[in-house]
């Protein structure tokens, strides 16, 4: 009798994986050459395994054969049945599902089991000093932070690196301009208010004034030879940028990002060049030294014709440092797709020189598309300037506040709650809009759209979450009450909608496992949206709290309240991975 099976502890479920594994084993034992035998388990109320297209025999016979080889009893499977032209319907064991849902409540949400912990070195945000930190860097910051959180949830050790562009020839003109504008810079920090403006001014002079240009080149030489005055100037300029970046990070809640910009790799670059030369990897090309490798569409320029190093050289030094010094065995680069060829070449060349063994070190370029304005053109201000991130965040705050006032939330929330809700909506909607799109696509930045409360938006999700949280609160049950109820209450899942919701909650681990593989966070947002929808179906059909006509509670269905609570826990975990703060009241 399958009902009498003892439920097993399996880290909160992951039903799809378990069934897939069981059926894969059955297929292999029925057909020893059946490695490629399709065995997709789709989800739905009846889960089906299908595997009849390859063998040209009677499909029902094949299904029969597979079932005979299926290891039973399996705690997740209550019964199976052959249907139609060789489908196998699987009835999931309710008792096991119920057990796993209670485990969410008593033990918390667990990552999928069997993850081998790695040391993940992730490069994200990585803006450039003095140049604008633009929406592309915002995307990198948001996606990178979320992937870092996912990695931590999976049990990996995460090193977050901010590979800022803080070295290079542009510092020549910046320093020359600094000397003219703020000659006092060695004594006091120069009051550069707007570094972007400062950059533009110096660029203009550089392009128009030959004498200035010559001086700028001289400045580069002096900086590279570590002349203390020039180093001071360089520090001063970097400091202004750093302060700007930090404002953005503080607002987005980006922590633990280690600044390790291009300048960090100066000595290592020399070593890289030395070793690449010794290994005979460099070729002469019109005065430049380049490196080719299989898998690299374009060669790297390791040394320019004037003897200087490039972005390529610093990335070669960086990858080596991340593998050999930082001991990363999973490197992740969250960088726009425009740099895909550059990164592919870096990875290929690093492999060629033998800095890593691809079977031991995983390297991913997590690329993303361009941010577009509502006119589908490059995201710019009306006057054609790049949008400053701080201004963008300010506008988000204004718009979110307006939205909350439009909904008259000021009548229900205290001032403090309103401020919290405003921030959660503003930053939440910017993050969610980015993360809920397939990162490889370009995406259109639109406050109007991201602040909508229908569809898969942050506002919708935040409301859904607080509504679910409020159900238990309105029944006067605290988190502690719920926790102790969870350990003593059987959840029977007798209503179909309860069962459906529970199975979906247990799919959380499957979703996480998929994202850990393809690093596409939008799948998590889709899942959250599905959870909110299925929850609504459940809530519309199943009374959790019954009240009499005067609104007094007459009956509390504890099993269902526990399901609400489990739902909110799963959603809270999703929010955490997205880097979004789900407020208590909104
Ligand atoms: N600073 C670069 C940019 O703004 C991004 C750096 C990405 N990371 C790297 N290791 N190349 O385009």
């Amino acid at each position: 009798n399958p009902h009498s099976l003892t439920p097993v502890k399996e880290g909160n479920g992951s039903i799809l994986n378990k069934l897939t594994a069981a059926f894969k084993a059955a297929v292999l034992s029925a057909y020893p050459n059946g490695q490629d035998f399709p065995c997709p388990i789709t989800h739905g109320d009846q889960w089906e395994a299908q595997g009849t297209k390859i063998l040209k025999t009677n499909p029902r016979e094949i299904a029969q054969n597979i079932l005979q080889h299926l290891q039973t009893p399996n705690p997740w499977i209550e019964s199976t049945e052959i249907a139609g032209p060789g489908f196998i319907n699987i009835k999931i064991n309710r008792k096991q599902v119920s057990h796993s849902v209670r485990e969410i409540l008593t033990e918390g949400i667990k990552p999928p089991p069997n993850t081998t912990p790695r040391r993940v070195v992730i490069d994200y945000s990585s803006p450039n000093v003095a140049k604008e930190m633009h929406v592309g860097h915002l995307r990198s910051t948001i996606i990178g932070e979320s992937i870092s959180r996912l990695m931590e949830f999976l049990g990996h050790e995460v090193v977050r690196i901010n590979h800022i562009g803080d070295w290079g020839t542009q510092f020549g003109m910046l320093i020359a301009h600094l000397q003219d504008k703020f000659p006092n810079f060695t004594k006091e920090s120069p009051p550069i208010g707007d570094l972007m403006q400062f950059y533009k001014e110096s660029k203009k002079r550089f392009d128009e004034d030959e004498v200035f240009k010559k001086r700028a080149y001289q400045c580069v030489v002096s900086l590279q030879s570590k002349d203390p005055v020039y180093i001071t100037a360089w520090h001063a300029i970097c400091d202004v940028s750093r302060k700007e970046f930090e404002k953005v990070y503080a607002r987005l809640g980006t922590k633990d990002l280690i600044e390790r910009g291009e300048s960090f790799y100066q000595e290592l670059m020399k070593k890289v060049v030395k070793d690449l030369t010794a290994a005979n990897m460099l070729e002469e090309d019109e005065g430049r030294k380049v490196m080719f490798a299989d898998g690299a569409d374009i060669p790297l320029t390791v040394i320019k014709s004037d003897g200087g190093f490039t972005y390529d050289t610093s990335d070669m030094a960086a990858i080596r440092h991340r593998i050999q010094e930082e001991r990363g065995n999973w490197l992740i680069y969250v960088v726009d797709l425009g740099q895909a060829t550059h990164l592919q070449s870096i990875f290929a060349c690093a492999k060629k020189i033998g800095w890593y063994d691809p079977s031991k070190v995983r390297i991913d370029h997590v690329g993303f598309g361009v941010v577009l304005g509502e006119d589908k053109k490059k995201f710019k201000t009306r006057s054609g300037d790049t949008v400053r991130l701080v201004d963008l965040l300010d506008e988000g705050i204004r718009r979110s506040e307006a939205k909350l006032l439009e909904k008259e939330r000021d009548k229900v929330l205290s001032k403090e709650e309103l401020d919290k809700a405003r921030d959660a909506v503003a930053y939440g909607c910017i993050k969610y809009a980015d993360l809920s799109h397939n990162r490889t696509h370009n995406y259109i930045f639109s406050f109007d759209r991201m602040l909508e409360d229908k569809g898969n938006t942050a506002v919708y999700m935040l409301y859904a979450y607080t509504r679910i949280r409020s159900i238990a609160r309105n029944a006067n049950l605290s988190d502690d009450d719920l926790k102790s109820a969870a350990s003593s209450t059987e959840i029977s899942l007798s209503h179909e909608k309860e069962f459906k919701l529970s199975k979906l909650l247990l799919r959380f681990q499957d979703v996480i496992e998929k994202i850990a593989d393809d690093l596409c966070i939008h799948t998590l947002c889709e899942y959250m949206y599905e959870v909110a929808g299925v929850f609504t179906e459940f809530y519309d059909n199943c009374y959790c709290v019954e009240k009499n006509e005067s609104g007094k509670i007459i009956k509390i269905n504890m099993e269902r309240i526990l399901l609400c609570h489990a739902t909110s826990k799963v959603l809270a975990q999703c929010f955490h991975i997205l880097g979004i703060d789900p407020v208590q009241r909104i």
Side-chain angles (χ1 to χ4, degrees), residues 229-500:
V229 173
Y230 290 80
I231 293 286
T232 307
W234 171 74
H235 270 302
I237 295 166
C238 290
D239 282 345
V240 181
S241 265
R242 189 173 299 116
K243 285 199 186 100
E244 279 298 298
F245 301 158
E246 272 163 11
K247 271 187 219 157
V248 173
Y249 297 143
R251 292 175 69 169
L252 293 177
T254 314
K255 288 192 215 96
D256 308 321
L257 197 48
I258 301 170
E259 181 184 318
R260 197 177 283 160
E262 291 172 26
S263 66
F264 175 87
Y265 300 99
Q266 293 167 71
E267 292 309 309
L268 245 164
M269 285 198 274
K270 291 183 198 151
K271 193 161 174 275
V272 163
V273 168
K274 201 171 135 237
D275 293 353
L276 290 179
T277 312
N280 248 330
M281 296 272 172
L282 299 184
E283 292 176 34
E284 192 76 30
D285 174 60
E286 295 178 359
R288 304 177 303 154
K289 291 256 171 65
V290 300
M291 177 171 179
F292 288 88
D294 282 346
D297 285 345
I298 44 162
L300 295 179
T301 300
V302 180
I303 309 177
K304 289 191 288 186
S305 48
D306 66 4
F309 297 156
T310 69
Y311 187 49
D312 293 354
T313 328
S314 65
D315 256 327
M316 283 300 276
I319 197 170
R320 182 183 200 174
H321 188 266
R322 287 169 196 181
I323 296 166
Q324 298 180 348
E325 307 297 322
E326 202 55 82
R327 299 269 152 212
N329 54 2
W330 190 352
L331 309 190
I332 300 179
Y333 291 74
V334 187
V335 183
D336 65 274
L337 278 169
Q339 301 194 36
T341 3
H342 162 73
L343 289 173
Q344 286 319 319
S345 299
I346 297 289
F347 305 161
C349 289
K351 188 169 112 195
K352 183 175 175 188
I353 177 107
W355 289 342
Y356 76 99
D357 171 355
S359 70
K360 299 207 177 75
V361 179
R362 174 174 168 176
I363 304 187
D364 286 282
H365 171 207
V366 171
F368 53 84
V370 182
V371 184
L372 303 171
E374 294 189 62
D375 55 3
K376 301 211 172 122
K377 296 211 187 84
K378 224 175 156 202
F379 192 65
K380 288 262 149 98
T381 62
R382 252 171 243 264
S383 58
D385 285 334
T386 320
V387 181
R388 286 167 30 134
L389 283 194
V390 207
D391 297 341
L392 189 84
L393 298 179
D394 284 343
E395 187 180 347
I397 292 286
R398 267 195 307 278
R399 298 261 208 144
S400 125
E401 179 152 21
K403 181 93 192 172
L404 292 167
L405 293 181
E406 178 194 308
K407 287 170 164 281
E408 305 197 323
R409 303 310 292 162
D410 51 328
K411 303 227 165 88
V412 213
L413 302 178
S414 70
K415 167 87 180 89
E416 199 191 329
E417 285 172 330
L418 194 67
D419 284 354
K420 270 200 172 155
R422 178 199 61 200
D423 288 2
V425 168
Y427 304 132
C429 81
I430 294 174
K431 291 176 183 176
Y432 199 85
D434 196 322
L435 296 170
S436 60
H437 284 86
N438 183 325
R439 61 176 164 79
T440 62
H441 299 169
N442 293 346
Y443 108 94
I444 296 175
F445 194 96
S446 156
F447 273 123
D448 287 336
R449 251 192 263 176
M450 51 179 93
L451 283 168
E452 268 173 31
D453 41 25
K454 287 188 198 70
N456 193 6
T457 66
V459 183
Y460 172 80
M461 285 311 311
L462 287 169
Y463 272 107
Y465 176 76
T466 47
R467 206 177 318 118
I468 298 170
R469 290 279 298 164
S470 70
I471 295 167
R473 209 183 30 238
N474 292 340
N476 298 323
L477 294 164
S478 69
D479 279 14
D480 282 343
D481 295 336
L482 294 167
K483 197 165 175 185
S484 66
S487 48
S488 58
T489 313
E490 278 290 339
I491 306 179
S492 57
L493 303 179
S494 46
H495 196 290
E496 268 325 294
K497 299 293 181 191
E498 298 170 346
F499 191 36
K500 184 175 176 188

